[in-house]
Amino acid sequence: MSLMAYKPIVIVLGGLLGGLLFCNNAQAVPEQCLQSSARSETCPHLLYKRSPIDIAKLSVKTGEMMCLCLSDVAGMRGASEEDLSRPKLLVSLRRLAGDWDLSESELLRLIRK
């Protein structure tokens, strides 16, 4: 039998495999994202990553995929301890940590790792 005879089988199997991979990846994308409760619009800058901590409100365990709105934590990611003690960042850090029942250190670990 020539290779052309196997072409339809290869196409069907390739489609099935591609579909399975797509479904598997779709399940890995979390439905909820860690973002400010004050946000009224869709977050313009999302980051999907493995969580270094448990996040009870999202039902995320350490090592599972989670979503983070980078726009809500932009100033905190690379901020020094001195910067974080400034009122604007400190209030934002405390508010977001409180929204998600996390300590400030847990939230910083989540943002930075």
Side-chain angles (χ1 to χ4, degrees):
M1 208 177 229
S2 73
L3 290 177
M4 291 303 289
Y6 292 106
K7 189 174 181 179
I9 295 171
V10 170
I11 291 172
V12 169
L13 288 176
L16 287 173
L17 181 58
L20 288 173
L21 290 174
F22 176 77
C23 289
N24 196 17
N25 286 339
Q27 291 174 358
V29 176
E31 292 180 19
Q32 290 184 301
C33 290
L34 186 73
Q35 61 185 8
S36 171
S37 61
R39 176 166 291 287
S40 59
E41 298 177 9
T42 303
C43 180
H45 192 189
L46 296 175
L47 173 68
Y48 292 90
K49 62 187 260 176
R50 294 201 182 278
S51 179
I53 61 169
D54 289 347
I55 308 170
K57 279 200 168 184
L58 290 180
S59 299
V60 172
K61 300 287 184 197
T62 301
E64 292 181 344
M65 290 299 294
M66 56 87 55
C67 173
L68 175 66
C69 180
L70 286 180
S71 301
D72 292 343
V73 297
M76 295 177 224
R77 284 192 85 193
S80 67
E81 293 303 315
E82 182 181 337
D83 291 337
L84 288 171
S85 66
R86 294 192 176 131
K88 183 178 178 182
L89 281 182
L90 186 59
V91 168
S92 296
L93 177 67
R94 286 181 177 165
R95 182 177 295 136
L96 193 56
D99 285 349
W100 294 99
D101 291 334
L102 300 171
S103 69
E104 293 170 23
S105 61
E106 287 174 322
L107 181 58
L108 286 172
R109 184 170 174 214
L110 177 66
I111 292 168
R112 293 176 173 171
K113 291 212 178 208

